[in-house]
Amino acid sequence: MSLSKKIVLLGHFGVGKTSLVRRFVDSAFSEDYIVTMGVQVKKKEVEVGGQKIKLIIWDIEGNTSISKARKSYLIGSQGFIYVYDVTRPETFENLSSEKQYLNKTFPEVPVCSVGNKSDLIDSDQKENFIRNKIFENSIFTSAKTGENVERIFLEIAKNVI
Ligand code: GTP
């Protein structure tokens, strides 16, 4: 029997939360932007160290601050993926304080930060991001090309067991 774990994706509007889930679950990508209203839940089973885990992935509507997200979406989460858009500074300027807020409010719950749309920056810009202290421990993804998408879900699965 597999374990079930609730994972919540958080972040500003349009950073690519829905696209990351779609890439991971359906192996698909679309350039269209359809704003998520409320929440969309998708499921996918992964295997980590021989253990099967069913990820119940909550893709919630965008918010400029986690404190504005509906508490009922966050409660019971066993892992958070905080997504920002590497091309839009307003989506990551509060990254440290947003992570602190999560660590304080949900002290037992692991948080993974993800810089999405990495296909839109060149390798020098990517290096700068990686070297920059505030982004340490971030994983850079592209829902468009699929780069590192599987990795973030496996990483969070590893952290929740
Ligand atoms: P909300 O529902 O408002 O919270 O948005 P979201 O975070 O779910 O973003 P969504 O996945 O809807 O993507 C917003 C737009 O960005 C869409 O037009 C996507 O096609 C585009 N997009 C998402 N991920 C990527 C990516 O990795 N690279 C590029 N180039 N575009 C992306």
Side-chain angles (χ1 to χ4, degrees):
M1 213 183 69
S2 64
L3 293 170
S4 283
K5 299 283 178 185
K6 174 179 172 181
I7 305 298
V8 179
L9 276 90
L10 295 161
H12 286 228
F13 302 91
V15 293
K17 298 178 292 301
T18 302
S19 301
L20 287 167
V21 178
R22 190 180 296 159
R23 166 64 69 191
F24 179 59
V25 176
D26 306 321
S27 303
F29 175 77
S30 161
E31 298 281 353
D32 299 339
Y33 176 28
I34 300 164
V35 176
T36 305
M37 308 288 276
V39 60
Q40 277 184 48
V41 180
K42 289 205 172 193
K43 297 172 191 164
K44 183 163 170 165
E45 191 172 78
V46 295
E47 199 173 317
V48 179
Q51 166 81 63
K52 287 197 166 112
I53 306 168
K54 190 189 274 177
L55 299 179
I56 317 291
I57 306 164
W58 287 51
D59 165 24
I60 71 170
E61 58 200 4
N63 266 298
T64 49
S65 156
I66 300 167
S67 61
K68 293 186 186 153
R70 273 196 218 172
K71 295 288 169 293
S72 58
Y73 295 158
L74 310 185
I75 287 167
S77 178
Q78 286 148 304
F80 291 110
I81 298 178
Y82 186 83
V83 185
Y84 56 91
D85 175 341
V86 291
T87 70
R88 285 164 53 212
E90 74 275 16
T91 69
F92 55 77
E93 64 193 4
N94 296 324
L95 179 62
S96 298
S97 58
E98 291 283 75
K99 281 173 85 175
Q100 273 170 24
Y101 175 87
L102 283 175
N103 289 331
K104 210 170 137 202
T105 317
F106 305 94
E108 307 296 324
V109 184
V111 181
C112 170
S113 53
V114 170
N116 189 43
K117 306 196 188 179
S118 66
D119 58 288
L120 296 178
I121 56 173
D122 62 27
S123 50
D124 284 351
Q125 287 171 297
K126 226 184 256 184
E127 274 306 308
N128 278 337
F129 267 102
I130 291 165
R131 260 189 258 117
N132 191 325
K133 218 168 147 253
I134 69 160
F135 301 111
E136 68 178 338
N137 300 323
S138 276
I139 297 176
F140 295 93
T141 58
S142 167
K144 186 170 183 173
T145 67
E147 184 194 3
N148 281 337
V149 174
E150 182 129 347
R151 187 174 152 209
I152 55 171
F153 289 97
L154 289 176
E155 200 70 33
I156 199 79
K158 226 187 285 169
N159 285 324
V160 299
I161 52 173

Coordinates of all heavy atoms in Angstrom, one line a residue, residues 11 16 24-25 44 58 65-66 75 80 83 88 93 95-96 98-100 105 114 121 125 130 147:
G11 N 2.7 30.6 -4.6 CA 3.5 31.6 -5.3 C 2.6 32.6 -5.9 O 1.4 32.4 -5.9
G16 N 3.8 29.8 -12.9 CA 3.9 28.5 -13.6 C 3.5 27.3 -12.7 O 3.9 26.2 -13.0
F24 N 4.4 17.6 -14.9 CA 4.7 16.4 -14.1 C 3.7 15.3 -14.3 O 4.1 14.2 -14.4 CB 4.8 16.9 -12.7 CG 5.1 15.8 -11.7 CD1 6.3 15.0 -11.8 CD2 4.3 15.5 -10.7 CE1 6.6 14.0 -11.0 CE2 4.6 14.4 -9.8 CZ 5.7 13.7 -9.9
V25 N 2.4 15.7 -14.2 CA 1.4 14.7 -14.2 C 1.0 14.2 -15.6 O 0.8 13.0 -15.9 CB 0.1 15.2 -13.4 CG1 -1.0 14.1 -13.5 CG2 0.5 15.4 -12.0
K44 N -0.4 11.9 -8.3 CA 0.6 11.1 -9.1 C 1.4 10.3 -8.1 O 1.8 10.8 -7.0 CB 1.5 11.9 -9.9 CG 2.5 11.1 -10.8 CD 3.1 11.8 -11.9 CE 4.2 11.0 -12.5 NZ 4.6 11.5 -13.8
W58 N -1.8 20.0 -4.6 CA -2.8 21.1 -4.6 C -2.2 22.3 -5.3 O -1.2 22.9 -4.8 CB -3.1 21.5 -3.1 CG -4.0 20.5 -2.4 CD1 -3.8 19.1 -2.3 CD2 -5.2 20.8 -1.6 NE1 -4.8 18.6 -1.6 CE2 -5.7 19.5 -1.1 CE3 -5.9 21.9 -1.4 CZ2 -6.8 19.5 -0.4 CZ3 -7.0 21.9 -0.6 CH2 -7.5 20.6 -0.1
S65 N 1.2 37.2 -1.5 CA 1.8 36.9 -0.2 C 1.1 35.6 0.4 O -0.1 35.5 0.2 CB 1.6 38.0 0.8 OG 1.6 37.6 2.1
I66 N 1.9 34.7 1.0 CA 1.3 33.5 1.5 C 0.3 33.8 2.6 O -0.7 33.1 2.7 CB 2.4 32.5 2.1 CG1 3.4 32.2 1.0 CG2 1.8 31.3 2.6 CD1 4.7 31.5 1.5
I75 N -3.8 24.0 5.4 CA -3.8 23.1 6.6 C -3.7 21.7 6.1 O -4.3 21.3 5.1 CB -5.1 23.4 7.3 CG1 -5.0 24.7 8.1 CG2 -5.5 22.2 8.3 CD1 -6.3 25.2 8.7
F80 N 5.6 21.9 1.0 CA 5.2 23.1 0.2 C 6.3 23.3 -0.9 O 7.5 23.1 -0.6 CB 5.3 24.4 1.1 CG 4.2 24.4 2.1 CD1 4.4 24.3 3.5 CD2 2.9 24.7 1.7 CE1 3.4 24.4 4.4 CE2 1.8 24.7 2.6 CZ 2.1 24.6 4.0
V83 N 6.9 28.6 -5.6 CA 7.3 28.8 -7.0 C 7.5 30.3 -7.3 O 6.6 31.1 -6.9 CB 6.4 28.2 -8.0 CG1 6.9 28.3 -9.4 CG2 6.1 26.7 -7.7
R88 N 10.6 37.7 -13.3 CA 9.8 38.7 -12.6 C 10.2 38.9 -11.2 O 9.8 38.2 -10.3 CB 8.3 38.4 -12.7 CG 7.7 38.6 -14.1 CD 6.4 37.8 -14.2 NE 5.5 38.2 -13.2 CZ 4.6 37.4 -12.7 NH1 4.5 36.1 -13.1 NH2 3.7 37.7 -11.7
E93 N 11.2 38.7 -4.7 CA 11.9 39.7 -3.8 C 11.6 39.4 -2.3 O 12.4 39.8 -1.5 CB 11.5 41.2 -4.2 CG 10.1 41.5 -4.0 CD 9.7 42.8 -4.7 OE1 10.6 43.4 -5.3 OE2 8.5 43.2 -4.5
L95 N 11.2 36.2 -1.2 CA 11.4 34.8 -1.0 C 11.8 34.4 0.4 O 11.2 33.5 1.0 CB 12.5 34.3 -2.0 CG 12.9 32.9 -2.0 CD1 11.7 32.0 -2.4 CD2 14.0 32.6 -3.0
S96 N 12.8 35.1 1.0 CA 13.3 34.7 2.3 C 12.2 34.8 3.4 O 12.0 33.9 4.2 CB 14.5 35.6 2.7 OG 15.6 35.4 1.9
E98 N 9.0 34.9 2.9 CA 7.9 34.0 2.7 C 8.3 32.6 3.2 O 7.5 31.9 3.8 CB 7.6 33.9 1.2 CG 7.0 35.1 0.6 CD 5.5 35.3 0.9 OE1 5.2 35.7 2.0 OE2 4.7 35.1 0.0
K99 N 9.6 32.2 3.0 CA 10.0 30.9 3.5 C 10.0 30.9 5.1 O 9.6 29.9 5.7 CB 11.4 30.5 3.0 CG 11.3 30.0 1.6 CD 12.6 29.8 0.9 CE 13.2 28.4 1.3 NZ 14.5 28.2 0.6
Q100 N 10.4 32.0 5.6 CA 10.4 32.2 7.1 C 9.0 32.0 7.6 O 8.7 31.4 8.6 CB 11.0 33.5 7.5 CG 12.5 33.5 7.7 CD 13.0 34.9 7.9 OE1 12.3 35.8 8.3 NE2 14.3 35.0 7.5
T105 N 5.0 29.1 10.6 CA 3.6 28.7 10.8 C 3.4 27.2 10.7 O 2.5 26.7 11.3 CB 2.8 29.4 9.6 OG1 3.2 30.8 9.5 CG2 1.3 29.4 9.9
V114 N 11.5 27.0 -5.8 CA 11.6 26.7 -7.2 C 11.6 27.9 -8.1 O 10.6 28.7 -8.1 CB 10.5 25.7 -7.6 CG1 10.5 25.5 -9.1 CG2 10.6 24.4 -6.9
I121 N 15.9 32.6 -19.5 CA 17.2 33.3 -19.1 C 18.4 32.5 -19.7 O 18.3 31.3 -19.9 CB 17.3 33.5 -17.6 CG1 17.3 32.2 -16.8 CG2 16.3 34.5 -17.1 CD1 17.6 32.4 -15.3
Q125 N 22.9 34.4 -16.7 CA 21.9 34.8 -15.7 C 21.6 33.7 -14.7 O 21.5 33.9 -13.5 CB 20.6 35.2 -16.4 CG 20.7 36.5 -17.1 CD 19.5 36.8 -18.0 OE1 19.2 36.0 -18.9 NE2 18.7 37.8 -17.7
I130 N 22.2 31.2 -9.3 CA 22.7 30.1 -8.5 C 23.7 30.6 -7.4 O 23.7 30.1 -6.3 CB 23.3 28.9 -9.3 CG1 22.2 28.3 -10.1 CG2 24.1 27.9 -8.5 CD1 22.6 27.4 -11.3
E147 N 12.8 20.8 -17.8 CA 14.0 20.7 -17.0 C 13.7 20.7 -15.5 O 13.0 21.6 -15.0 CB 14.9 22.0 -17.4 CG 16.2 22.0 -16.6 CD 16.9 23.3 -16.7 OE1 16.3 24.3 -17.3 OE2 18.0 23.4 -16.2

